[in-house]
């Protein structure tokens, strides 16, 4: 079962990102960089405030050394690979979401070792491996999106029809991916939920609060605020697990990431549901 899921998930992710690309344009993505206020706000929340919150939670909950490093590692990870698709489902600014994913993933080989050093990890071996891992994850997410953007620019009407056909399929695949996350990680989640679970939940909820608050403070529109909330609350747990198991040779450090995978998917479903309720309410008035 695990091998089937492992083979299915990358293909499913590629389709999801292609569907997102069909709804985007290169100009919209470029606008996120040309007018970077929202981008800088989101990056400040995700790359600066979130790790700081993790350090505070470690002390507040009195976590063990392994769980402390693991929680900080989750906070230091780049944006989740499904965040752009979730941003689309949540009626967020997908171009901003994609820009944040690109930046955080590109810088992960620098930011993760720096943040871990503050957590007491003297040196992170195999940083080149981390860079390759980060870029590979980025390619899986962003290359199919870029292909979708290109196809939409080349054949806009065909892309629109294709998007309408693939939309329900992509939603089924997304639901299957969420379910697969629960199945794969359920054992680790139940074993450690009581010890580190509250800190993981707190990290996710605070990420949402900080993102929404920062967006309001900076006068961002609803779509931009939603994009930052999605990006800040969804971390790339695969990268965190790679660092824990392959680079630091301590799989126990991945425990907070496994639990976060469950929490962030529940959080994502709530954000999508709230966005759809708001859309229905607005259309009905």
């Amino acid at each position: 079962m695990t091998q089937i899921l492992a083979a299915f998930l990358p293909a499913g992710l590629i389709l999801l990102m292609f569907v997102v690309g069909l709804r985007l344009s290169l100009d919209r993505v470029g606008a996120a960089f040309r007018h970077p206020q929202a981008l800088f706000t989101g990056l400040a929340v995700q790359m600066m405030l979130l790790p700081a919150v993790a350090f505070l939670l470690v002390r507040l909950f009195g976590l063990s050394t392994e769980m402390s490093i693991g929680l900080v590692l989750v906070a230091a990870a780049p944006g989740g690979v499904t965040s752009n698709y979730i941003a689309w489902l949540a009626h967020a600014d997908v171009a901003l979401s994609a820009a944040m994913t690109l930046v955080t993933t590109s810088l992960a080989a620098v930011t993760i070792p720096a943040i871990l050093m503050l957590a007491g990890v003297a040196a992170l071996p195999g940083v080149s491996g981390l860079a390759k891992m980060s870029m590979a994850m980025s390619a899986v997410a962003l290359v199919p999106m870029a292909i979708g953007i290109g196809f939409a620019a080349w054949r806009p009407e065909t892309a629109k029809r294709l998007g309408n056909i693939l939309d329900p399929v992509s939603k089924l695949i997304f639901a299957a991916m969420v379910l697969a996350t629960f199945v794969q990680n359920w054992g680790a989640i139940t074993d450690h939920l009581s010890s580190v679970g509250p800190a993981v939940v707190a990290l996710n909820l605070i990420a949402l609060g900080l993102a929404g608050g920062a967006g309001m403070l900076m006068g961002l529109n609803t779509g931009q605020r939603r994009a930052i909330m999605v990006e800040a609350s969804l971390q790339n747990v695969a990268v965190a697990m790679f660092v824990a198991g392959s680079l630091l040779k301590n799989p126990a450090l991945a425990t907070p990431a496994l639990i976060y995978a469950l929490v962030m998917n529940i959080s994502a479903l709530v954000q999508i549901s709230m966005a759809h309720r708001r859309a229905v309410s607005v259309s009905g008035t």
Side-chain angles (χ1 to χ4, degrees):
M1 180 65 174
T2 302
Q3 292 180 342
I4 295 175
L5 291 174
F8 164 77
L9 291 179
L13 177 61
I14 288 171
L15 178 61
L16 298 189
M17 294 301 102
F18 176 71
V19 170
V20 171
L22 292 176
R23 307 299 193 188
L24 271 178
S25 69
L26 191 60
D27 183 65
R28 287 176 58 192
V29 176
F33 291 96
R34 292 194 302 271
H35 308 284
Q37 180 182 7
L39 179 60
F40 287 161
T41 301
L43 293 177
V45 171
Q46 187 167 13
M47 301 178 72
M48 298 173 63
L49 296 184
L50 204 58
V53 168
F55 282 112
L56 291 175
L57 291 175
V58 162
R59 292 183 175 274
L60 179 63
F61 287 92
L63 299 182
S64 66
T65 300
E66 286 185 334
M67 294 302 100
S68 296
I69 294 173
L71 188 70
V72 171
L73 179 55
V74 170
V81 290
T82 59
S83 60
N84 308 142
Y85 182 76
I86 292 169
W88 174 64
L89 290 179
H91 304 298
D93 186 332
V94 182
L96 174 59
S97 174
M100 286 185 62
T101 299
L102 177 61
V103 173
T104 57
T105 303
S106 299
L107 296 178
V110 175
T111 56
I112 290 178
I115 293 170
L116 285 180
M117 285 183 66
L118 296 176
V121 179
L124 184 63
V127 172
S128 62
L130 172 59
K132 292 177 181 178
M133 170 70 170
S134 299
M135 296 314 297
M137 296 296 291
S138 179
V140 169
L142 298 179
V143 170
M145 185 189 297
I147 293 173
I149 292 172
F151 185 77
W154 180 48
R155 290 285 190 270
E157 292 301 321
T158 304
K160 185 177 180 180
R161 291 195 297 270
L162 182 59
N164 291 335
I165 294 171
L166 292 178
D167 280 354
V169 177
S170 65
K171 289 174 182 176
L172 287 174
I173 290 175
F174 174 66
M177 292 173 68
V178 173
L179 181 61
T181 300
F182 295 167
V183 171
Q184 287 181 314
N185 301 325
W186 190 249
I189 290 168
T190 54
D191 289 345
H192 301 279
L193 188 60
S194 61
S195 61
V196 71
V200 170
V201 172
L203 179 65
N204 185 263
L205 293 178
I206 293 173
L208 288 169
L210 286 174
M216 293 182 66
L217 184 64
M218 298 301 295
L220 305 183
N221 62 42
T222 301
Q224 291 171 328
R225 293 198 304 269
R226 288 178 179 171
I228 294 173
M229 290 173 71
V230 168
E231 286 292 323
S233 61
L234 270 79
Q235 300 296 90
N236 195 326
V237 295
V239 168
M241 292 168 64
F242 172 77
V243 172
S246 298
L247 300 187
L248 296 178
K249 309 297 183 183
N250 188 348
L253 298 178
T255 300
L258 292 173
I259 298 175
Y260 198 88
L262 168 64
V263 173
M264 75 178 190
N265 277 296
I266 294 175
S267 168
L269 293 175
V270 171
Q271 291 180 75
I272 293 167
S273 175
M274 291 179 65
H276 277 267
R277 285 187 178 184
R278 181 180 176 86
V280 171
S281 175
V282 170
S283 63
T285 57

